[in-house]
């Protein structure tokens, strides 16, 4: 169809051209599509839609939609690649560091106190009676005393086990119990140190060996008893008796064939209270073994009831006990045992007794005397006062205990002052050894106990943020106490005029003729009878067996020492002495000092009543 063009040309109408109306409708549809978009387009998206004909040939940028933001795909890939590469590089470096051998600086060698401790504990292995464990590590010892208790027709109960006291084969329960208490005290205070030097299991095994035996010495399953066994074996030779016994005969314990009587007592407050202290302190050591700990506590409570029923010592005049381990009082055992019973049970009645002014007066807490401040198997007053001072320092129970605890605290300070060289309470040898027993023989057992008290008391002061204490108007730092303890132990370990270590097996020069039956007779398959062993007793040759870890009795007041087997005042070692040495050594060992402040209080309830619960919520 042709029409006239008003401008002079033909007007052609093509069939495929859209009319104006159609184009208008299409534009309306595009606007409707844009208006129904679910979200507003950003500038980038709009540019895509509005791209002109000239933009069609250009390469479009690619993006990654991360939800919250949209980033360039190229930038995203670079970022992810960089992170992965850094991770791989770090892993590779770590792998190299792990696989390349590292050269650590060698650990410093153990100090002398730690080395001595390892040996001192071995003495208890050598003193074991009964069937020995396979790991006892004393090659010349074997099973012994396998019929103890049962062979005594008047007793006829099992008393196999325990420890021989010294160089003989007698089991004295009074000093044995004290030795176990001292070992337990040292473990309670310094268990971390024991573990650090690898001796925690060993010392706990020793304590358990002793505790198990103490439980055999009375009816530990009963609530009330009327007697306890105080000794196994006899040593009375005072009347010139030639009857074979543990002092007249010189035999290996494994070869003993003579009778070993059992001694019992029905009126022995001191012995029973000390045995109670041993079991009570051991119950804290084994607090993680609930069944065994409760068994020990029950045994301690039974012994304590028995100890409180009668006021008498276990060693009346004329008995064997009075000849060897005579007890001078039972009041100190009441203080000592009462303190341990309180720590083991939390029962305040024990604390009430231990802090009673009359008991303290009877025990001698208010006066001096020549042996005031001397802790030993006989006199526990100094140890009890330090132990109760600990309670005041860390828990401060207040009324009604404060007055007596303050007195004990003051007395403990006085005791510590008496150990210092500037005071004249005790003399010293020219070599520097304190004479706690005033020049009498066998001084070292008292020295090691004092060293332990001084060291542990200094740790108490440091743990309570106290830099020192007063002796009259003068102030002394805690380091002075540790210095005292170190000088005394160093003397024992060889820094003395004799240049001799009094601990067998420590150093190069130590006693070779220890007064000890088992160590002095060779294990050669020959059984030497009662008198047959005398040739070994009187021999001038060194002992064929080295009793490692035995601390001998020590020098005289002039620093002199005779390494002679027959003179027990120089060369005999004892359980109680070695227990004090072990306690002193562990307190001084290692580079760092410090005690376990809380374990001893594990059974002690809060000092003050718990606050009442809050009131119920108010309701309208």
């Amino acid at each position: 169809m042709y029409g006239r063009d008003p401008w002079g040309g033909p007007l052609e109408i093509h069939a495929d051209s859209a009319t104006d109306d159609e184009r208008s409708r299409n534009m309306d549809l595009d606007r409707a599509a844009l208006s129904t978009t679910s979200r507003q387009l950003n500038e980038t998206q709009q540019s895509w839609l509005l791209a002109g004909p000239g933009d069609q040939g250009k390469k479009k940028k690619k993006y990654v939609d991360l939800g919250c933001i949209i980033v360039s795909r190229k930038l995203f890939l670079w970022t992810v690649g960089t992170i992965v590469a850094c991770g791989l590089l770090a892993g590779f470096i770590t792998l190299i560091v792990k696989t390349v051998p590292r050269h650590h600086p060698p650990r410093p060698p153990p100090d002398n106190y730690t080395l001595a401790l390892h040996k001192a504990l071995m003495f208890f292995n050598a003193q074991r009676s009964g069937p020995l464990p396979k790991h006892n590590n004393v090659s010349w010892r074997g099973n012994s005393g396998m019929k103890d208790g049962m062979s005594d027709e008047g007793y006829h109960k099992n008393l196999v086990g325990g420890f021989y006291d010294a160089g003989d084969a007698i089991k004295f329960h009074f000093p044995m119990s004290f030795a176990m208490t001292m070992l337990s005290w040292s473990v309670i205070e310094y268990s971390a140190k024991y573990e650090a030097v690898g001796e925690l299991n060993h010392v706990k095994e020793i304590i358990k060996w002793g505790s198990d035996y103490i439980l055999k010495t009375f009816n530990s399953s009963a609530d009330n008893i009327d007697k306890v066994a105080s000794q196994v074996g006899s040593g009375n030779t005072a009347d010139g008796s030639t009857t074979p016994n543990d002092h007249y005969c010189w035999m290996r314990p494994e070869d003993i064939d003579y009778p070993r009587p059992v001694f019992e007592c029905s009126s022995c407050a001191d012995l029973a209270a000390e045995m109670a202290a041993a079991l009570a302190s051991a119950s804290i050591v084994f607090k993680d073994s609930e069944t065994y700990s409760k068994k020990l506590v029950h045994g301690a409570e039974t012994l304590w009831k028995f100890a409180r029923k009668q006021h008498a010592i276990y060693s009346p005049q004329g008995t064997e006990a009075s000849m060897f381990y005579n007890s001078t009082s039972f009041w100190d055992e009441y203080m000592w045992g009462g303190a341990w019973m309180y720590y083991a049970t939390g029962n305040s009645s024990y604390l009430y007794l231990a802090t009673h002014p009359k008991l303290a007066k009877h025990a001698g807490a208010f006066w001096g005397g020549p042996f005031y401040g001397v802790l030993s198997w006989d006199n526990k007053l100094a140890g009890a006062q330090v132990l109760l001072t600990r309670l005041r320092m860390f828990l401060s129970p207040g009324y009604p205990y404060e007055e007596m605890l303050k007195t004990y605290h003051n007395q403990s300070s006085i005791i510590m002052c008496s150990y210092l060289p500037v005071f004249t309470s005790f003399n010293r040898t020219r070599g520097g050894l304190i004479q706690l027993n005033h020049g009498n023989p066998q001084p070292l057992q008292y020295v090691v106990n004092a060293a332990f008290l001084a060291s542990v008391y200094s740790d108490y002061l440091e743990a309570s943020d106290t830099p020192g204490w007063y002796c009259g108007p003068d102030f002394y730092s805690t380091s002075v106490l540790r210095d005292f303890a170190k000088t005394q132990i160093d003397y024992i370990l060889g820094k003395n005029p004799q240049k001799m270590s009094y601990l067998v097996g420590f150093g190069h020069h130590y006693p070779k003729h220890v007064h000890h039956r088992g160590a002095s007779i060779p294990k050669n398959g020959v059984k030497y009878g009662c008198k047959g062993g005398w040739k070994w007793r009187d021999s001038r040759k060194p002992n064929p067996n080295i009793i490692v870890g035995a601390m001998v009795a020590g020098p005289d007041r002039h620093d002199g020492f005779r390494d002679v087997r027959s003179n027990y005042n120089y060369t005999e070692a004892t359980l109680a002495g070695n227990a004090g040495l072990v306690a002193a050594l562990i307190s001084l060992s290692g580079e760092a000092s410090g005690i376990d402040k809380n374990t001893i209080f594990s059974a002690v309830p809060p000092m003050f009543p718990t606050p009442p619960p809050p009131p119920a919520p108010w309701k309208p």
Side-chain angles (χ1 to χ4, degrees):
M1 178 179 179
Y2 294 92
R4 182 170 296 273
D5 184 356
W7 301 103
L11 179 61
E12 298 180 7
I13 300 176
H14 298 283
D16 58 347
S17 298
T19 64
D20 290 342
D21 291 339
E22 288 175 343
R23 283 195 296 270
S24 176
R25 281 195 300 271
N26 289 337
M27 290 179 65
D28 289 341
L29 288 173
D30 290 340
R31 290 192 192 98
L34 287 172
S35 65
T36 57
T37 304
S38 60
R39 58 187 176 88
Q40 187 156 352
L41 302 180
N42 58 32
E43 294 180 358
T44 303
Q45 292 169 323
Q46 291 179 17
S47 67
W48 295 343
L49 294 174
L50 300 177
D55 297 329
Q56 298 299 324
K58 293 182 180 179
K59 187 177 182 181
K60 295 181 180 179
K61 290 185 178 181
K62 296 182 179 180
Y63 294 86
V64 177
D65 188 351
L66 299 178
C68 55
I69 58 172
I70 296 175
V71 296
S72 167
R73 184 183 180 192
K74 185 177 182 181
L75 178 61
F76 175 77
L77 292 176
W78 269 103
T79 303
V80 172
T82 302
I83 294 173
V84 172
C86 290
L88 292 174
L89 180 62
F92 182 69
I93 294 173
T94 302
L95 181 64
I96 293 176
V97 171
K98 292 287 186 182
T99 54
V100 172
R102 287 172 286 180
H103 299 283
H104 294 289
R107 290 185 178 181
D111 55 63
N112 281 344
Y113 306 123
T114 301
L115 294 173
L117 175 69
H118 294 312
K119 298 184 182 299
L121 286 169
M122 286 298 296
F123 175 72
F124 293 90
N125 292 20
Q127 295 302 101
R128 277 183 168 141
S129 178
L132 302 184
K134 293 181 180 180
H135 56 275
N136 198 51
N137 295 333
V138 182
S139 61
W140 46 271
R141 281 301 322 279
N143 299 342
S144 62
M146 299 298 288
K147 296 181 180 180
D148 281 354
M150 299 299 294
S151 60
D152 186 333
E153 295 182 0
Y155 187 78
H156 204 67
K157 298 184 187 71
N158 182 2
L159 282 178
V160 175
F163 297 94
Y164 300 124
D165 175 67
D168 49 35
I170 302 177
K171 294 190 285 194
F172 291 107
H173 300 167
F174 192 46
M176 185 195 301
S177 298
F178 173 71
M180 294 302 105
T181 309
M182 288 296 291
L183 289 181
S184 291
W185 190 3
S186 72
V187 172
I188 292 167
E189 302 287 10
Y190 299 108
S191 61
K193 282 190 172 186
Y194 273 115
E195 190 167 15
V197 299
E199 290 287 5
L200 182 59
N201 291 334
H202 186 192
V203 70
K204 288 176 71 173
E205 183 188 1
I206 292 170
I207 295 169
K208 189 175 187 303
W209 188 273
S211 300
D212 288 345
Y213 178 75
I214 293 173
L215 289 171
K216 291 182 176 183
T217 61
F218 66 101
N219 185 1
S220 60
S221 61
D223 294 330
N224 294 283
I225 56 175
D226 57 4
K227 57 185 176 181
V228 297
S230 60
Q231 178 181 326
V232 177
S234 175
N236 187 3
T237 58
D239 299 330
S241 172
T242 59
T243 303
N245 65 24
D246 291 288
H247 276 181
Y248 181 75
C249 298
W250 194 268
M251 299 175 65
R252 297 177 69 246
E254 293 81 359
D255 297 334
I256 290 175
D257 55 5
Y258 50 77
R260 285 169 56 79
V262 176
F263 295 81
E264 291 185 282
C265 64
S266 56
S267 183
C268 41
D270 45 4
L271 172 61
E274 180 56 63
M275 292 167 70
L279 296 184
S281 57
S283 74
I284 303 174
V285 172
F286 295 102
K287 65 182 180 65
D288 293 334
S289 303
E290 186 176 354
T291 302
Y292 186 61
S293 183
K294 286 183 177 179
K295 183 179 181 180
L296 294 173
V297 169
H298 180 266
E301 290 173 334
T302 300
L303 286 165
W304 187 259
K305 291 177 187 177
F306 172 67
R308 293 290 293 156
K309 284 181 181 178
Q310 25 71 36
H311 295 170
I313 59 175
Y314 90 109
S315 56
Q317 190 65 31
T319 61
E320 278 210 14
S322 67
M323 298 169 57
F324 304 113
Y325 284 100
N326 184 48
S327 175
T328 55
S329 170
F330 55 82
W331 300 106
D332 55 311
E333 276 82 20
Y334 278 167
M335 271 186 63
W336 172 252
W340 281 116
M341 291 298 294
Y342 174 65
Y343 287 141
T345 66
N347 187 333
S348 59
S349 65
Y350 298 117
L351 180 60
Y352 179 79
L353 175 67
T355 57
H356 198 285
K358 288 186 178 180
L359 174 60
K361 181 180 179 181
H362 286 309
F366 304 131
W367 59 280
F371 293 99
Y372 191 77
V374 181
L375 175 62
S376 71
W377 53 264
D378 178 31
N379 188 356
K380 288 88 179 186
L381 176 61
Q385 292 189 126
V386 170
L387 196 60
L388 290 166
T389 297
R390 189 194 206 285
L391 178 66
R392 183 174 189 257
M393 282 183 170
F394 298 111
L395 289 190
S396 187
Y399 180 85
Y401 315 109
E402 170 60 20
E403 185 175 352
M404 283 308 304
L405 289 179
K406 183 179 180 181
T407 299
Y408 295 154
H409 196 163
N410 291 336
Q411 295 302 312
S412 295
S413 297
I414 293 172
I415 291 171
M416 298 303 142
C417 297
S418 72
Y419 294 157
L420 303 184
V422 295
F423 296 94
T424 58
S425 303
F426 302 102
N427 293 327
R428 279 171 166 74
T429 67
R430 289 187 177 182
L433 185 70
I434 190 170
Q435 295 291 284
L436 293 166
N437 62 338
H438 303 287
N440 291 320
Q442 306 177 27
L444 296 188
Q445 60 178 311
Y446 309 101
V447 172
V448 291
N449 289 338
F452 171 68
L453 288 185
S455 182
V456 77
Y457 192 77
S458 71
D459 284 341
Y460 290 170
L461 292 173
E462 289 185 358
S464 59
D465 296 324
T466 307
W469 86 109
Y470 280 94
C471 295
D474 299 320
F475 184 82
Y476 293 90
S477 68
T478 56
S479 61
V480 174
L481 283 177
R482 292 187 70 83
D483 289 343
F484 160 75
K486 287 181 177 180
T487 56
Q488 298 306 302
I489 299 301
D490 289 346
Y491 182 103
I492 294 171
L493 297 182
K495 291 185 178 180
N496 54 64
Q498 297 287 332
K499 305 299 181 185
M500 170 180 278
S501 165
Y502 294 115
L503 180 65
V504 176
F506 183 85
H508 301 291
H509 184 36
Y510 51 81
K512 302 295 195 300
H513 303 78
V514 180
H515 183 91
H516 193 277
R517 285 158 173 75
S520 66
I521 302 176
K523 184 181 179 182
N524 55 8
V526 178
K527 178 179 178 180
Y528 297 93
C530 178
K531 294 183 179 180
W534 287 7
K535 70 173 185 178
W536 299 106
R537 179 194 65 187
D538 302 329
S539 171
R540 294 185 178 181
K541 294 181 180 180
N543 289 348
N545 306 311
I546 299 176
I547 181 165
V548 174
M551 183 187 73
V552 296
D556 57 32
R557 58 184 175 179
H558 303 295
D559 296 310
F561 182 80
R562 296 181 62 201
D563 189 7
V564 179
R565 188 178 297 111
S566 59
N567 196 329
Y568 57 85
N569 282 330
Y570 288 108
T571 59
E572 189 168 28
T574 64
L575 277 182
N578 256 72
L581 175 65
V582 167
L585 289 171
I586 192 63
S587 70
L588 295 173
S589 68
E591 297 180 359
S593 59
I595 56 163
D596 181 342
K597 290 199 298 184
N598 300 318
T599 297
I600 200 169
F601 302 128
S602 56
V604 176
M607 290 286 101
F608 304 100
T610 56
W618 180 81
K619 294 181 180 180

